[in-house]
Every structure is written in structure tokens, then in C-alpha cells.
Amino acid sequence: MPIIRSVMFLLILDLLTKHAFRFYEQDLALEHVLIEGYLYVDEVVFNYGNAFASSNVDDVGILSQVYIYSFFIVSMAGCVLGLSSIDEEDSKLTAVPYVFMMAGGLGNTLERIIYGNVCDWITLTSPVTEYLIVLNFADIFIWIGLLTLPFFMTGLRLKLFFGAIFYVLAFWPLRNVLFS
């Protein structure tokens, strides 16, 4: 039960912040600066694509939609399998990566189902570049889960994890061809 409560807490935090910024009607400029020049809330971006084929166009192809939802299903199944393989003698911290990934995946997918897009509102940048990364709490939760996962894996699970990473990286150059 503590795992379900943790996932629900993170999920509600993510959905409430996205909802607040989705319907925020005042000007955001210079009102929500967290770290000057690096981390701030400048604009709300509605992402209709996914992280691999990001698009702000309302018309996302059926192949991209199939990819988005099948990736979600496979990821959630992996998290459930990871949680079910935790032994009783393992530390409770072993569940942390799975909790973060489940909350992030559920948050973005629920918003995509409800609104047809995902509200990104946290802007990361560097003062010397024009490149902006716009994300939300769900994206941060997914990254926290992915970055902490290898520290709690051993043996075959660790090999499968790195095998999946290399598989995704091998097909990364094809992302624009498949999902544009």
C-alpha cells in the first residue's frame, strides 16, 4: 500500500500543477523565475507528440499514437514486473525508481487521454544558448526513475535494462523517419 500511496501522491502533484498552468490566465513572464537564466516558467507548451517525436501540431499520425500508447503499456508492465520481483529482504528504496516512473508515465498519459496533449511548463535553458527544454513534473519523475534504476538492479535485470537502453539508442536515428 505505501507504493500505491506514493504513486498517487506524485501523480496528483503532477496533474494539479499541469492543470493550474494549463488554465493560468495571467502573463507568466518574469513572474515565476526559479533560477535566473536557467530554470523558469516562461510559457506553457502543449506537446501533442512524444519525447521521441515531439510535435506541437494538433495532427499527430496514427503511427505516433500507437507508439505513444504501446510504449506506455510496455513501460507500466515493466514497472509492475520490477515491483513484483522485489524480495522481502530488499530495501524499501528498491521500489523508488518504479514509483517515480509509474507516476510520471501515468501523469502524462492521463493528460494525453483527457486533453489530447501534455502541458509542459518548466523551462530549462542556458543564457548562452537559444535551445529550450520545456517539461513538467511527470518528465522529471520519469528521469529520476530512469537515472536511479541501475543502482537497484543486479544480475540479469541489470543486463536487460542496459540491453533495452542500447536497443533504443540504436534506433534513435530513425525516429524522424518513423514518427514525423
Side-chain angles (χ1 to χ4, degrees), residues 3 19 41 49-50 67 74 87 91 103-104 106 136 142 158 160:
I3 291 174
H19 183 78
V41 178
N50 60 7
Y67 176 74
V74 169
D87 295 329
S91 168
L106 284 169
N136 55 45
I142 292 168
L158 186 63
L160 290 173

PDB file of all heavy atoms in Angstrom, residues 3 19 41 49-50 67 74 87 91 103-104 106 136 142 158 160:
ATOM      1  N   ILE A   3       3.405   1.874  -1.647  1.00  0.00           N
ATOM      2  CA  ILE A   3       3.795   2.124  -3.041  1.00  0.00           C
ATOM      3  C   ILE A   3       2.661   2.809  -3.777  1.00  0.00           C
ATOM      4  O   ILE A   3       2.867   3.805  -4.494  1.00  0.00           O
ATOM      5  CB  ILE A   3       4.210   0.804  -3.728  1.00  0.00           C
ATOM      6  CG1 ILE A   3       5.521   0.310  -3.129  1.00  0.00           C
ATOM      7  CG2 ILE A   3       4.325   0.982  -5.229  1.00  0.00           C
ATOM      8  CD1 ILE A   3       5.964  -1.030  -3.616  1.00  0.00           C
ATOM      9  N   HIS A  19      -2.603  21.180 -14.506  1.00  0.00           N
ATOM     10  CA  HIS A  19      -3.934  21.786 -14.621  1.00  0.00           C
ATOM     11  C   HIS A  19      -3.867  23.281 -14.298  1.00  0.00           C
ATOM     12  O   HIS A  19      -4.484  24.098 -14.980  1.00  0.00           O
ATOM     13  CB  HIS A  19      -4.918  21.070 -13.695  1.00  0.00           C
ATOM     14  CG  HIS A  19      -6.315  21.569 -13.796  1.00  0.00           C
ATOM     15  ND1 HIS A  19      -7.151  21.215 -14.824  1.00  0.00           N
ATOM     16  CD2 HIS A  19      -7.016  22.420 -13.014  1.00  0.00           C
ATOM     17  CE1 HIS A  19      -8.314  21.816 -14.672  1.00  0.00           C
ATOM     18  NE2 HIS A  19      -8.254  22.554 -13.574  1.00  0.00           N
ATOM     19  N   VAL A  41       9.552  29.587 -15.463  1.00  0.00           N
ATOM     20  CA  VAL A  41       8.296  29.321 -16.148  1.00  0.00           C
ATOM     21  C   VAL A  41       8.040  30.517 -17.052  1.00  0.00           C
ATOM     22  O   VAL A  41       7.727  31.600 -16.584  1.00  0.00           O
ATOM     23  CB  VAL A  41       7.136  29.130 -15.143  1.00  0.00           C
ATOM     24  CG1 VAL A  41       5.839  28.908 -15.887  1.00  0.00           C
ATOM     25  CG2 VAL A  41       7.426  27.984 -14.203  1.00  0.00           C
ATOM     26  N   GLY A  49       2.966  15.498 -29.498  1.00  0.00           N
ATOM     27  CA  GLY A  49       3.757  14.330 -29.857  1.00  0.00           C
ATOM     28  C   GLY A  49       4.238  13.615 -28.607  1.00  0.00           C
ATOM     29  O   GLY A  49       3.572  13.589 -27.586  1.00  0.00           O
ATOM     30  N   ASN A  50       5.427  13.035 -28.697  1.00  0.00           N
ATOM     31  CA  ASN A  50       6.029  12.400 -27.530  1.00  0.00           C
ATOM     32  C   ASN A  50       7.480  12.825 -27.444  1.00  0.00           C
ATOM     33  O   ASN A  50       7.944  13.618 -28.250  1.00  0.00           O
ATOM     34  CB  ASN A  50       5.885  10.881 -27.604  1.00  0.00           C
ATOM     35  CG  ASN A  50       6.562  10.299 -28.822  1.00  0.00           C
ATOM     36  OD1 ASN A  50       7.252  10.991 -29.543  1.00  0.00           O
ATOM     37  ND2 ASN A  50       6.364   9.045 -29.052  1.00  0.00           N
ATOM     38  N   TYR A  67       2.542   4.239 -31.131  1.00  0.00           N
ATOM     39  CA  TYR A  67       3.827   4.178 -30.450  1.00  0.00           C
ATOM     40  C   TYR A  67       3.730   4.733 -29.030  1.00  0.00           C
ATOM     41  O   TYR A  67       4.226   4.129 -28.088  1.00  0.00           O
ATOM     42  CB  TYR A  67       4.888   4.947 -31.242  1.00  0.00           C
ATOM     43  CG  TYR A  67       6.213   5.002 -30.543  1.00  0.00           C
ATOM     44  CD1 TYR A  67       7.037   3.889 -30.479  1.00  0.00           C
ATOM     45  CD2 TYR A  67       6.630   6.161 -29.899  1.00  0.00           C
ATOM     46  CE1 TYR A  67       8.240   3.936 -29.819  1.00  0.00           C
ATOM     47  CE2 TYR A  67       7.829   6.222 -29.240  1.00  0.00           C
ATOM     48  CZ  TYR A  67       8.637   5.106 -29.206  1.00  0.00           C
ATOM     49  OH  TYR A  67       9.821   5.159 -28.532  1.00  0.00           O
ATOM     50  N   VAL A  74       3.986  -0.954 -22.296  1.00  0.00           N
ATOM     51  CA  VAL A  74       5.189  -1.751 -22.044  1.00  0.00           C
ATOM     52  C   VAL A  74       5.942  -1.211 -20.827  1.00  0.00           C
ATOM     53  O   VAL A  74       6.423  -1.987 -19.989  1.00  0.00           O
ATOM     54  CB  VAL A  74       6.084  -1.773 -23.299  1.00  0.00           C
ATOM     55  CG1 VAL A  74       7.445  -2.366 -22.999  1.00  0.00           C
ATOM     56  CG2 VAL A  74       5.400  -2.533 -24.425  1.00  0.00           C
ATOM     57  N   ASP A  87      12.351  -8.625  -3.544  1.00  0.00           N
ATOM     58  CA  ASP A  87      12.269  -9.583  -2.436  1.00  0.00           C
ATOM     59  C   ASP A  87      11.988  -8.855  -1.134  1.00  0.00           C
ATOM     60  O   ASP A  87      12.224  -7.656  -1.007  1.00  0.00           O
ATOM     61  CB  ASP A  87      13.582 -10.361  -2.308  1.00  0.00           C
ATOM     62  CG  ASP A  87      13.856 -11.238  -3.517  1.00  0.00           C
ATOM     63  OD1 ASP A  87      12.876 -11.704  -4.137  1.00  0.00           O
ATOM     64  OD2 ASP A  87      15.037 -11.447  -3.834  1.00  0.00           O
ATOM     65  N   SER A  91      15.769  -3.637   0.308  1.00  0.00           N
ATOM     66  CA  SER A  91      15.433  -2.368   0.936  1.00  0.00           C
ATOM     67  C   SER A  91      14.168  -1.787   0.300  1.00  0.00           C
ATOM     68  O   SER A  91      13.865  -2.040  -0.860  1.00  0.00           O
ATOM     69  CB  SER A  91      16.595  -1.394   0.748  1.00  0.00           C
ATOM     70  OG  SER A  91      16.224  -0.097   1.093  1.00  0.00           O
ATOM     71  N   ALA A 103       4.419   7.003 -11.749  1.00  0.00           N
ATOM     72  CA  ALA A 103       3.715   8.282 -11.562  1.00  0.00           C
ATOM     73  C   ALA A 103       3.898   9.185 -12.780  1.00  0.00           C
ATOM     74  O   ALA A 103       2.935   9.796 -13.257  1.00  0.00           O
ATOM     75  CB  ALA A 103       4.224   8.976 -10.299  1.00  0.00           C
ATOM     76  N   GLY A 104       5.102   9.270 -13.312  1.00  0.00           N
ATOM     77  CA  GLY A 104       5.351  10.105 -14.476  1.00  0.00           C
ATOM     78  C   GLY A 104       4.635   9.597 -15.716  1.00  0.00           C
ATOM     79  O   GLY A 104       4.012  10.370 -16.456  1.00  0.00           O
ATOM     80  N   LEU A 106       1.966   7.626 -15.870  1.00  0.00           N
ATOM     81  CA  LEU A 106       0.517   7.788 -15.701  1.00  0.00           C
ATOM     82  C   LEU A 106       0.095   9.248 -15.849  1.00  0.00           C
ATOM     83  O   LEU A 106      -0.932   9.549 -16.461  1.00  0.00           O
ATOM     84  CB  LEU A 106       0.078   7.257 -14.332  1.00  0.00           C
ATOM     85  CG  LEU A 106      -0.006   5.744 -14.178  1.00  0.00           C
ATOM     86  CD1 LEU A 106      -0.191   5.365 -12.713  1.00  0.00           C
ATOM     87  CD2 LEU A 106      -1.144   5.200 -15.012  1.00  0.00           C
ATOM     88  N   ASN A 136       7.629  19.005 -17.560  1.00  0.00           N
ATOM     89  CA  ASN A 136       6.725  19.085 -16.419  1.00  0.00           C
ATOM     90  C   ASN A 136       7.212  18.124 -15.344  1.00  0.00           C
ATOM     91  O   ASN A 136       8.236  17.454 -15.517  1.00  0.00           O
ATOM     92  CB  ASN A 136       5.284  18.790 -16.855  1.00  0.00           C
ATOM     93  CG  ASN A 136       5.167  17.462 -17.552  1.00  0.00           C
ATOM     94  OD1 ASN A 136       5.708  16.464 -17.108  1.00  0.00           O
ATOM     95  ND2 ASN A 136       4.467  17.429 -18.669  1.00  0.00           N
ATOM     96  N   ILE A 142      10.007  10.677 -14.447  1.00  0.00           N
ATOM     97  CA  ILE A 142      10.488   9.599 -15.312  1.00  0.00           C
ATOM     98  C   ILE A 142      12.015   9.586 -15.341  1.00  0.00           C
ATOM     99  O   ILE A 142      12.636   8.529 -15.236  1.00  0.00           O
ATOM    100  CB  ILE A 142       9.895   9.744 -16.732  1.00  0.00           C
ATOM    101  CG1 ILE A 142       8.389   9.470 -16.689  1.00  0.00           C
ATOM    102  CG2 ILE A 142      10.584   8.792 -17.705  1.00  0.00           C
ATOM    103  CD1 ILE A 142       7.653   9.853 -17.959  1.00  0.00           C
ATOM    104  N   LEU A 158      19.802  -6.165 -14.580  1.00  0.00           N
ATOM    105  CA  LEU A 158      20.688  -5.078 -14.988  1.00  0.00           C
ATOM    106  C   LEU A 158      21.094  -5.237 -16.450  1.00  0.00           C
ATOM    107  O   LEU A 158      21.111  -4.270 -17.209  1.00  0.00           O
ATOM    108  CB  LEU A 158      21.924  -5.038 -14.088  1.00  0.00           C
ATOM    109  CG  LEU A 158      22.883  -3.874 -14.306  1.00  0.00           C
ATOM    110  CD1 LEU A 158      22.186  -2.559 -14.008  1.00  0.00           C
ATOM    111  CD2 LEU A 158      24.116  -4.034 -13.438  1.00  0.00           C
ATOM    112  N   LEU A 160      19.367  -6.772 -18.817  1.00  0.00           N
ATOM    113  CA  LEU A 160      18.198  -6.479 -19.638  1.00  0.00           C
ATOM    114  C   LEU A 160      17.953  -4.981 -19.733  1.00  0.00           C
ATOM    115  O   LEU A 160      17.586  -4.465 -20.788  1.00  0.00           O
ATOM    116  CB  LEU A 160      16.958  -7.181 -19.084  1.00  0.00           C
ATOM    117  CG  LEU A 160      16.921  -8.696 -19.234  1.00  0.00           C
ATOM    118  CD1 LEU A 160      15.722  -9.268 -18.489  1.00  0.00           C
ATOM    119  CD2 LEU A 160      16.874  -9.084 -20.691  1.00  0.00           C
TER     120      LEU A 160
END
